[in-house]
Amino acid sequence: MPSDMPLLTDLRRLRVDPEDNLDLSDRATLIDLPGDPSKDEIEAELDRLRGQIGELQDAMFTRREQALLVVLQGMDSAGKDSTTKAVFTGVNPLGIHAASFSVPSVQERRHDFLWRVHAQVPPLGCIGVFNRSHYEEPVIRRVHGELKNGEMKRYLRQITDFEQMLAESGTAIVKCFLHLSFDEQRERLQERIDNPLKHWKFDPSDLQERQFWKPYQAAYSQALAATSTAQAPWYVVPADRKPVRNLIVARLVVQALEALKTPPPEPKPELAGLKVV
């Protein structure tokens, strides 16, 4: 598969334009790659991208002047766990940190909703992956009627300000919404029920939340449109085909790391001519 394939090098059409009135129902959940590459060809390209991620992360780690935060968000079974594994396998574990945000603890509820999130932001030199994120709380509360529209807008404004602060402090941000179709989610949830090896993935609450599919799509549409900025853009990644989803996220990560333009480490003059005896 050629590395200059348009889909892999120009992903601007997946980006959320804050000027648009985003409706996720208008965005594709399934796309075909040009040339109809095989699964092996896709995996080979993904492996090449993983190598690039590793090299770019190593350079960033030696300088420790910048960081990259990758946000993975989506409906249940969209593939946040498997995407993290597929894209970042082989990256130096010293330079990557993955965090997942479940139901807030009693201690966390005593603080603002971003308090626990800020503590998981990657240090300079590292890549951080948020598997679920600071978007989870306002979206869920909006869907279940706990937040009125004005309160939702306040949450989203605070998120935008938070991400702007991170960007100004040296942390680049790329946000990927893994866009799954209603039918594909049904198949994946059913597989978790039917396959004993996947029972550990199944949560009965997923079936309950599935009943709120349309409200979730509306809440996410609002959230993505309100918080997609030049410093922290959202990309709607078609997620019905797992290999294609992984490939797109890997390309977005490479693009974000390349945009940092991290220079190689500076040589130390004091080491010139030094001989080990």
Side-chain angles (χ1 to χ4, degrees):
M1 182 170 55
S3 60
D4 61 347
M5 182 181 296
L7 178 66
L8 295 180
T9 57
D10 188 357
L11 297 173
R12 287 175 294 181
R13 66 190 180 96
L14 302 181
R15 186 165 174 161
V16 175
D17 186 343
E19 301 301 322
D20 293 341
N21 185 21
L22 177 67
D23 184 344
L24 283 171
S25 65
D26 295 333
R27 294 294 188 107
T29 62
L30 180 67
I31 58 174
D32 294 321
L33 296 178
D36 192 24
S38 67
K39 185 176 181 179
D40 288 343
E41 290 174 318
I42 293 176
E43 181 58 34
E45 175 65 8
L46 179 58
D47 192 55
R48 186 186 71 82
L49 292 170
R50 281 193 291 250
Q52 281 189 273
I53 292 172
E55 293 174 2
L56 292 164
Q57 192 279 326
D58 283 344
M60 185 172 64
F61 189 75
T62 61
R63 302 286 298 197
R64 305 195 184 193
E65 297 172 348
Q66 298 165 302
L68 174 65
L69 174 60
V70 180
V71 174
L72 300 178
Q73 195 69 45
M75 298 292 287
D76 294 320
S77 76
K80 296 174 285 293
D81 289 344
S82 55
T83 299
T84 301
K85 181 179 179 180
V87 172
F88 296 101
T89 293
V91 176
N92 184 349
L94 294 177
I96 190 165
H97 174 67
S100 182
F101 301 95
S102 58
V103 178
S105 66
V106 174
Q107 172 71 3
E108 289 169 343
R109 287 192 180 280
R110 295 176 62 188
H111 297 269
D112 66 89
F113 79 106
L114 291 172
W115 177 78
R116 64 174 182 162
V117 177
H118 201 171
Q120 299 295 337
V121 170
L124 297 180
C126 295
I127 296 175
V129 182
F130 281 2
N131 175 345
R132 299 182 186 268
S133 66
H134 39 303
Y135 288 86
E136 197 89 349
E137 180 171 340
V139 166
I140 290 175
R141 294 187 63 191
R142 176 64 171 156
V143 166
H144 290 283
E146 297 177 21
L147 291 182
K148 296 181 180 179
N149 190 48
E151 295 172 309
M152 179 68 165
K153 289 181 178 179
R154 174 172 57 82
Y155 266 80
L156 298 178
R157 175 180 54 78
Q158 291 172 347
I159 287 176
T160 301
D161 292 343
F162 171 68
E163 293 175 346
Q164 177 69 25
M165 181 271 294
L166 294 182
E168 292 174 352
S169 302
T171 299
I173 305 171
V174 59
K175 300 178 292 190
C176 303
F177 184 80
L178 308 183
H179 191 29
L180 191 70
S181 69
F182 187 73
D183 290 341
E184 180 65 19
Q185 189 197 54
R186 181 184 64 248
E187 292 185 14
R188 294 186 187 182
L189 292 176
Q190 190 64 54
E191 184 181 10
R192 293 178 180 183
I193 295 171
D194 295 341
N195 186 347
L197 296 178
K198 294 190 176 183
H199 284 178
W200 66 274
K201 289 185 175 182
F202 180 70
D203 186 337
S205 67
D206 292 346
L207 300 182
Q208 299 170 10
E209 294 304 305
R210 179 172 162 80
Q211 300 176 36
F212 297 93
W213 183 271
K214 288 186 178 180
Y216 268 111
Q217 297 297 297
Y220 273 122
S221 294
Q222 179 186 6
L224 270 59
T227 59
S228 188
T229 63
Q231 295 81 12
W234 271 109
Y235 292 86
V236 179
V237 177
D240 278 5
R241 285 187 64 195
K242 299 174 185 179
V244 174
R245 173 203 67 200
N246 297 339
L247 197 61
I248 293 174
V249 172
R251 167 56 65 187
L252 288 170
V253 172
V254 168
Q255 289 182 353
L257 289 170
E258 289 178 334
L260 295 177
K261 302 184 186 307
T262 304
E266 296 179 0
K268 296 181 178 180
E270 64 271 22
L271 298 182
L274 181 63
K275 301 297 182 182
V276 177
V277 297

PDB file of all heavy atoms in Angstrom, residues 2 26 30 35 125 127 143 156 182 259:
ATOM      1  N   PRO A   2       0.727   2.134  -0.975  1.00  0.00           N
ATOM      2  CA  PRO A   2       1.595   3.303  -1.066  1.00  0.00           C
ATOM      3  C   PRO A   2       1.428   4.232   0.119  1.00  0.00           C
ATOM      4  O   PRO A   2       0.321   4.488   0.573  1.00  0.00           O
ATOM      5  CB  PRO A   2       1.149   3.984  -2.370  1.00  0.00           C
ATOM      6  CG  PRO A   2      -0.240   3.489  -2.604  1.00  0.00           C
ATOM      7  CD  PRO A   2      -0.281   2.094  -2.066  1.00  0.00           C
ATOM      8  N   ASP A  26     -24.414  12.638  10.034  1.00  0.00           N
ATOM      9  CA  ASP A  26     -23.979  12.945   8.670  1.00  0.00           C
ATOM     10  C   ASP A  26     -22.559  12.451   8.392  1.00  0.00           C
ATOM     11  O   ASP A  26     -22.096  12.530   7.257  1.00  0.00           O
ATOM     12  CB  ASP A  26     -24.031  14.457   8.420  1.00  0.00           C
ATOM     13  CG  ASP A  26     -25.446  15.003   8.473  1.00  0.00           C
ATOM     14  OD1 ASP A  26     -26.390  14.235   8.181  1.00  0.00           O
ATOM     15  OD2 ASP A  26     -25.619  16.190   8.815  1.00  0.00           O
ATOM     16  N   LEU A  30     -18.055   4.104   8.209  1.00  0.00           N
ATOM     17  CA  LEU A  30     -17.373   3.076   7.421  1.00  0.00           C
ATOM     18  C   LEU A  30     -16.887   3.692   6.129  1.00  0.00           C
ATOM     19  O   LEU A  30     -17.665   4.317   5.403  1.00  0.00           O
ATOM     20  CB  LEU A  30     -18.337   1.925   7.121  1.00  0.00           C
ATOM     21  CG  LEU A  30     -17.804   0.759   6.297  1.00  0.00           C
ATOM     22  CD1 LEU A  30     -16.754  -0.006   7.083  1.00  0.00           C
ATOM     23  CD2 LEU A  30     -18.947  -0.178   5.889  1.00  0.00           C
ATOM     24  N   GLY A  35      -7.724   1.798  -3.491  1.00  0.00           N
ATOM     25  CA  GLY A  35      -6.960   0.625  -3.885  1.00  0.00           C
ATOM     26  C   GLY A  35      -7.402  -0.649  -3.190  1.00  0.00           C
ATOM     27  O   GLY A  35      -6.893  -1.735  -3.495  1.00  0.00           O
ATOM     28  N   GLY A 125       7.859  15.620  27.189  1.00  0.00           N
ATOM     29  CA  GLY A 125       8.675  14.529  26.686  1.00  0.00           C
ATOM     30  C   GLY A 125       7.894  13.251  26.474  1.00  0.00           C
ATOM     31  O   GLY A 125       8.424  12.288  25.917  1.00  0.00           O
ATOM     32  N   ILE A 127       4.061  10.971  25.648  1.00  0.00           N
ATOM     33  CA  ILE A 127       2.750  10.876  25.014  1.00  0.00           C
ATOM     34  C   ILE A 127       1.757  10.396  26.070  1.00  0.00           C
ATOM     35  O   ILE A 127       2.022   9.435  26.774  1.00  0.00           O
ATOM     36  CB  ILE A 127       2.762   9.883  23.837  1.00  0.00           C
ATOM     37  CG1 ILE A 127       3.694  10.363  22.724  1.00  0.00           C
ATOM     38  CG2 ILE A 127       1.344   9.697  23.282  1.00  0.00           C
ATOM     39  CD1 ILE A 127       3.844   9.362  21.585  1.00  0.00           C
ATOM     40  N   VAL A 143     -27.004  13.806  28.609  1.00  0.00           N
ATOM     41  CA  VAL A 143     -27.895  12.780  28.070  1.00  0.00           C
ATOM     42  C   VAL A 143     -28.973  12.402  29.083  1.00  0.00           C
ATOM     43  O   VAL A 143     -30.138  12.204  28.732  1.00  0.00           O
ATOM     44  CB  VAL A 143     -27.093  11.529  27.652  1.00  0.00           C
ATOM     45  CG1 VAL A 143     -28.011  10.335  27.403  1.00  0.00           C
ATOM     46  CG2 VAL A 143     -26.269  11.831  26.401  1.00  0.00           C
ATOM     47  N   LEU A 156     -18.310  22.933  28.589  1.00  0.00           N
ATOM     48  CA  LEU A 156     -17.519  22.893  27.364  1.00  0.00           C
ATOM     49  C   LEU A 156     -16.579  24.093  27.264  1.00  0.00           C
ATOM     50  O   LEU A 156     -15.464  23.980  26.762  1.00  0.00           O
ATOM     51  CB  LEU A 156     -18.450  22.821  26.149  1.00  0.00           C
ATOM     52  CG  LEU A 156     -19.345  21.573  26.089  1.00  0.00           C
ATOM     53  CD1 LEU A 156     -20.258  21.627  24.866  1.00  0.00           C
ATOM     54  CD2 LEU A 156     -18.507  20.298  26.078  1.00  0.00           C
ATOM     55  N   PHE A 182     -24.789   2.263  14.873  1.00  0.00           N
ATOM     56  CA  PHE A 182     -25.704   1.591  15.794  1.00  0.00           C
ATOM     57  C   PHE A 182     -25.681   0.076  15.564  1.00  0.00           C
ATOM     58  O   PHE A 182     -25.648  -0.710  16.513  1.00  0.00           O
ATOM     59  CB  PHE A 182     -27.118   2.145  15.579  1.00  0.00           C
ATOM     60  CG  PHE A 182     -28.138   1.661  16.570  1.00  0.00           C
ATOM     61  CD1 PHE A 182     -28.143   2.102  17.876  1.00  0.00           C
ATOM     62  CD2 PHE A 182     -29.127   0.765  16.166  1.00  0.00           C
ATOM     63  CE1 PHE A 182     -29.103   1.667  18.790  1.00  0.00           C
ATOM     64  CE2 PHE A 182     -30.085   0.320  17.073  1.00  0.00           C
ATOM     65  CZ  PHE A 182     -30.070   0.778  18.383  1.00  0.00           C
ATOM     66  N   ALA A 259       4.362  17.728  13.550  1.00  0.00           N
ATOM     67  CA  ALA A 259       4.086  19.166  13.637  1.00  0.00           C
ATOM     68  C   ALA A 259       4.853  19.819  14.774  1.00  0.00           C
ATOM     69  O   ALA A 259       5.071  21.043  14.762  1.00  0.00           O
ATOM     70  CB  ALA A 259       2.585  19.399  13.802  1.00  0.00           C
TER      71      ALA A 259
END
